[in-house]
Amino acid sequence: MDELLNVRSSNDTSSEPSDVELEKFYSELLLKSQNEQATDGNKSQEPKEKNWNSVKPTPGICVKSQIVGGDGGKVFINICTSSAVPAPKPITEQELLTVIDEFAADSDETINYRVPMSIGEAHVEVDKHGQACTAYDVIINPNFLTTIKESRVFFGFLMSIVLEGLQNKYEVQIDRKWALLKNKKFFGRVDEQRMRKKALIQEVSSQPSGRIPEEKTKEPRYVLVREPETGHPEFLIAEIELLGVEKASNLMVDAGEDRLVVSTRPKKYSLDMYLPFDLLPEEIGCQFDVSTHVLTVTMPVKPLDE
């Protein structure tokens, strides 16, 4: 602002800065603030870098919408890709429609189809009119990007869970009347997203269990509950049944801010779960009971005021 005031004082003190000058000044100030925040964020993260996996997304497609309520500001959702994000289970359009119909008939049930993704934090950008707007980056598997480009059914399904995920994670309600921007793969700057690596498993029993012949990798049975059941939860608790797994050292657990990945060695089970709430990854705890073959993952949820 001093810079703008200096311009005024060096000329006629009675003149006011024009709208064009103000717009240019605030745009430059906003972009400068973004760069400083990014630099400060990188410095604060350096000591813990070994505990994170950095993912540099590849631009894919861009969707435009707006905030519901308030000033109704513009929102851009960048659908990006990375091979670090697993592809969802391949199903046909008809199978997906059947899953959606079953969910619509009984909304108390959890929809039986998951799309692995990583939803990044909001970043402020400037549109072509010099106005501030918000952008979110969502990373999916490259093969699934091809799927949604070829199918309106899959594209519509993805956008519905993305908008729901943004609402659950950041408490932002975005208008469902979105528009796909043609010839635009990304809006704003492309930033890395990080996933925290986690593999802290405590074995709570030393009783041996019978060995089961190896099978093709499959998704294990699991139950996900929230505590408390109403309001904003303090914990998410996942109980995962891993029949045939003999010891904790055969398990790998990776947890990000909104994602839980469990796999076994040898590759008997694989689970990739997108979670509807932000977690406190450094406080996640795991226990594996070798007598029941159940892995319990206790995930503290980030409070709303953080």
Side-chain angles (χ1 to χ4, degrees), residues 62 76 78 123-126 135 137 184 186-191:
C62 183
F76 294 88
N78 299 311
H123 50 99
V124 180
E125 302 292 346
V126 178
D137 304 337
K184 194 172 188 66
F186 200 92
F187 183 84
R189 65 186 189 277
V190 182
D191 286 339

Side-chain angles (χ1 to χ4, degrees), residues 91-111:
I91 61 174
T92 65
E93 273 192 5
Q94 187 56 51
E95 289 173 327
L96 178 57
L97 289 171
T98 300
V99 169
I100 295 173
D101 289 342
E102 291 174 350
F103 175 74
D106 187 357
S107 58
D108 291 334
E109 293 292 329
T110 302
I111 195 163

